[in-house]
Amino acid sequence: MDSTSPLHKQMLDRALELAHAAAQCDEVPVGAVIYDEDGQIWGEGYNLTITNADPTAHAEIVALREAGKKRGTPNLTGLMLAVSLEPCAMCAQALAWARIKEVRFAATDPKSGGVLQGAAVYTHKTCHHKPFVDHGYLAEESKLLLQTFFKAKR
């Protein structure tokens, strides 16, 4: 499958919906969905760092925790992630530890990204699992949501 497949678009659409839900809760608007090739959602979530007073409660981590519980294992081999913003280094490494098959994100994050930007976790020899990465679908919508959210904060 490629980034233009209906399944990946559907899951990135859902991730953006979750990002909007995060904004409604006054959380940084990022949403994530973990799913399989049949379209079954194993985990989803949005940023809850403020709500949970937990700096690790990023959307990807929230979704990983739910998927791990549903599967009964931290090994999520064969599952894919759709997220509205490029994962940070912490999330990128957690996705590698979980052995996520594919990471698909909407907007890049030049400030805190950890996949294509900054730490670029998957480019290191020491990264034990390197998922397929694709990005760009809904990038402008995700970027606009983030810009609007932070503009309102200023």
Side-chain angles (χ1 to χ4, degrees):
M1 283 188 254
D2 63 46
S3 62
T4 58
S5 80
L7 175 60
H8 299 312
K9 285 183 175 183
Q10 176 187 359
M11 295 304 165
L12 282 161
D13 287 339
R14 177 64 182 148
L16 193 57
E17 288 174 12
L18 290 164
H20 281 281
Q24 294 299 312
C25 297
D26 208 28
E27 294 277 359
V28 174
V30 178
V33 181
I34 295 177
Y35 60 103
D36 63 25
E37 290 179 359
D38 295 326
Q40 179 179 349
I41 294 175
W42 287 87
E44 65 179 18
Y46 52 80
N47 279 356
L48 291 170
T49 59
I50 296 165
T51 302
N52 292 356
D54 178 357
T56 68
H58 291 195
E60 301 92 330
I61 303 299
V62 172
L64 280 170
R65 288 174 179 156
E66 184 178 318
K69 284 181 184 175
K70 279 186 182 175
R71 273 214 164 168
T73 179
N75 185 336
L76 303 178
T77 301
L79 299 185
M80 298 169 277
L81 170 83
V83 62
S84 59
L85 183 65
E86 177 181 359
C88 70
M90 174 187 72
C91 292
Q93 188 61 58
L95 294 164
W97 283 115
R99 299 194 174 277
I100 290 292
K101 177 181 172 182
E102 299 177 11
V103 173
R104 296 175 183 275
F105 57 90
T108 58
D109 186 352
K111 225 175 173 184
S112 301
V115 175
L116 301 178
Q117 316 289 324
V121 171
Y122 306 138
T123 64
H124 297 274
K125 290 181 194 176
T126 56
C127 184
H128 71 287
H129 174 75
K130 299 175 184 184
F132 171 81
V133 174
D134 191 33
H135 66 93
Y137 177 71
L138 295 179
E140 288 305 313
E141 293 87 341
S142 179
K143 185 177 174 183
L144 180 61
L145 176 60
L146 287 157
Q147 287 172 338
T148 302
F149 177 82
F150 285 114
K151 189 175 183 180
K153 293 282 181 199
R154 292 185 189 115

